[in-house]
Amino acid sequence: MSSRAIRMERFAASFREAADIVTLEELPPAVGEIAVRNSWCGVNGVFDTQIARNAVDYVKVDLPTFTGVEAMGVVEAVGDGVAGFAVGDHVVTTRFGGGYRERNVASAGRFVPVPGPEREWLALASTGVSALLALDHGEAKAGETVAISAAAGGLGHLLVQLAKLRGCQVIGIAGGAEKGAMVRELGADDVIDYHAVPIGEALAGRKIDVAIDTVSGAVFDAMLANMADHGRLVVAGAAADLEGKPEIVTGPRIAHSIYYRGVSVRGFMNGLLTAKWPAARAALFDLYRAGKLDIRFDQPGFAGLEGVYDAVERLLSRHSSGKVVVDLRP
């Protein structure tokens, strides 16, 4: 028996150029391991591209290396010494190297159980956890105004809903009328279409208590310029800065923007908060069971490991809405 996986064989400008689909012999789980047949994987296009370029400072890449972070599937075998997992259980992993593969044999500690086979549990256990903890990092409270960039994306559309559940006023920033309509449908009080109005102009005069930015560039600048006293700007990504090239920025240093208003700029790295993941997952699962979260997926969908390459490029195109996943079921 064999299964397939996407393995990075070389560093290159794009994920497609760097990684190949390889065939692997299926091995039984060793002591402390479980074997999982993956059903879905979640796609992180910016991260995948930066990994392909060996440009992620906090991940040491030794070639060849398996790829992908998020996947869910069904336990098909349990190694000796493993408690808490049984054949047929549905599980999720959010650890690098376990995502873009049809079968994953790894330490049981790399997996968490989920209630069922639906892809919604994958979105909650991965992107949902990031959204909840990013709001916590910004200390978002009832009555505050929260601005969210890329609000129609996989992370953004969950941030909108979670902020509303906290009693916040939400400004959703998205590109295009269709994405804007989705963000408003999910509960945003105000929607900014940066295709129609420059983001700096659209945010001018606002008093933002919490801003969560995954874009950088002009969006970051506009948010920072319009923070309320004691506002918190959470940097959760920098999609617009994929090339990582230096820019000439003709403006005051950040100190002038934060000092007089007591504003803080906070870096959010979900991978540094693993101790908080279990409680965040439990809270999200409860909200979903109660019907309080609407999880959206990008359309059209993608299938098979071959579809991962297209899904990565779809994310980079900025045309996607909702969570981008790939169906790995036979």
Side-chain angles (χ1 to χ4, degrees):
M1 291 287 289
S2 62
S3 64
R4 302 183 306 155
I6 298 180
R7 190 172 66 191
M8 204 167 82
E9 305 290 338
R10 63 200 72 85
F11 297 121
S14 71
F15 182 75
R16 189 182 291 273
E17 294 172 292
D20 299 337
I21 297 176
V22 296
T23 299
L24 308 169
E25 180 185 356
E26 291 194 0
L27 300 173
V31 174
E33 294 183 334
I34 63 174
V36 176
R37 183 69 58 178
N38 283 339
S39 305
W40 300 93
C41 65
V43 176
N44 301 279
V46 172
F47 178 80
D48 295 330
T49 302
Q50 294 296 70
I51 284 289
R53 297 174 179 178
N54 197 25
V56 180
D57 293 341
Y58 60 90
V59 178
K60 184 179 184 297
V61 179
D62 294 317
L63 296 176
T65 188
F66 293 104
T67 57
V69 177
E70 309 167 12
M72 73 174 295
V74 180
V75 177
E76 63 176 15
V78 177
D80 291 340
V82 173
F85 294 96
V87 172
D89 285 352
H90 304 286
V91 296
V92 162
T93 183
T94 55
R95 300 302 177 96
F96 180 63
Y100 300 157
R101 54 197 307 159
E102 294 170 340
R103 185 175 184 265
N104 189 12
V105 180
S107 167
R110 294 173 68 92
F111 301 89
V112 295
V114 293
E118 296 82 11
R119 58 185 177 169
E120 283 80 1
W121 300 113
L122 172 60
L124 289 166
S126 54
T127 309
V129 167
S130 292
L132 183 62
L133 294 181
L135 282 172
D136 286 347
H137 203 58
E139 301 179 73
K141 299 181 287 292
E144 292 190 318
T145 296
V146 177
I148 298 164
S149 68
L155 179 70
H157 89 285
L158 292 170
L159 281 166
V160 168
Q161 297 176 73
L162 290 168
K164 287 304 298 178
L165 287 171
R166 293 190 183 202
C168 301
Q169 292 290 113
V170 174
I171 303 170
I173 302 167
E178 186 175 345
K179 289 186 179 183
M182 170 183 159
V183 173
R184 194 175 296 280
E185 185 179 312
L186 292 171
D189 301 282
D190 193 6
V191 176
I192 292 173
D193 177 1
Y194 62 82
H195 287 174
V197 182
I199 187 65
E201 180 182 328
L203 282 180
R206 308 282 185 127
K207 296 296 182 183
I208 302 169
D209 297 296
V210 179
I212 300 181
D213 179 35
T214 58
V215 176
S216 189
V219 175
F220 173 89
D221 293 342
M223 286 177 160
L224 183 60
N226 292 283
M227 299 300 295
D229 291 349
H230 307 295
R232 289 85 69 197
L233 199 168
V234 178
V235 178
D241 192 26
L242 183 60
E243 303 300 327
K245 295 179 179 178
E247 295 179 77
I248 297 175
V249 179
T250 55
R253 293 183 184 275
I254 192 173
H256 297 279
S257 297
I258 66 177
Y259 175 66
Y260 293 105
R261 288 172 287 148
V263 171
S264 62
V265 177
R266 308 178 179 187
F268 171 74
M269 174 54 63
N270 191 37
L272 298 176
L273 302 172
T274 53
K276 297 185 177 183
W277 288 3
R281 275 195 303 267
L284 289 159
F285 288 3
D286 286 345
L287 288 172
Y288 182 65
R289 289 191 189 96
K292 295 181 178 181
L293 289 175
D294 181 3
I295 303 170
R296 303 289 181 93
F297 295 93
D298 187 46
Q299 299 295 333
F302 300 92
L305 288 179
E306 295 81 2
V308 170
Y309 298 98
D310 295 332
V312 168
E313 290 164 6
R314 167 79 171 171
L315 266 167
L316 296 181
S317 75
R318 303 187 186 181
H319 291 147
S320 62
S321 296
K323 177 71 175 173
V324 176
V325 297
V326 177
D327 189 344
L328 297 179
R329 295 172 297 182

